[in-house]
């Protein structure tokens, strides 16, 4: 088994919280930068929601809901 495949298998079954914590630490951002990024992200979400436009995913789910065989098949294909 190759090193890349071994790393992929390990990552597939790794603890999500520990993985996220390691990625955050590896990013090298200080607390001020993380706070600024979070504030900017919250602002983007607020503006997007206030725009009131229906997004592509909402339109897709309205047409092919996950309660239908077609919707489930399309979501599996997307994965």
């Amino acid at each position: 088994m190759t090193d890349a495949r071994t790393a992929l298998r390990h990552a597939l079954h790794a603890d999500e919280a520990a993985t996220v914590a390691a990625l955050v630490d590896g990013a090298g951002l200080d607390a001020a930068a993380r706070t600024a990024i979070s504030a900017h992200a919250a602002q983007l979400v607020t503006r997007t929601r206030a725009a009131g436009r229906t997004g592509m995913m909402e339109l897709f789910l309205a047409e092919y809901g996950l309660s239908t065989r077609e919707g489930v098949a399309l979501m599996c294909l997307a994965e």
Side-chain angles (χ1 to χ4, degrees):
M1 191 175 301
T2 66
D3 290 340
R5 187 173 291 253
T6 301
L8 183 61
R9 286 186 188 270
H10 176 71
L12 178 65
H13 300 290
D15 177 66
E16 183 178 356
T19 300
V20 170
L23 289 170
V24 168
D25 288 342
L29 299 172
D30 62 14
R34 286 195 306 272
T35 299
I37 291 167
S38 293
H40 183 67
Q43 185 181 52
L44 289 172
V45 170
T46 300
R47 281 192 290 177
T48 301
R49 289 179 177 163
R53 289 178 288 178
T54 304
M56 187 173 262
M57 183 55 92
E58 288 81 8
L59 292 171
F60 175 83
L61 288 174
E63 182 72 24
Y64 302 103
L66 292 178
S67 61
T68 67
R69 290 177 55 199
E70 294 86 359
V72 172
L74 286 169
M75 291 304 270
C76 288
L77 180 62
E79 285 184 355

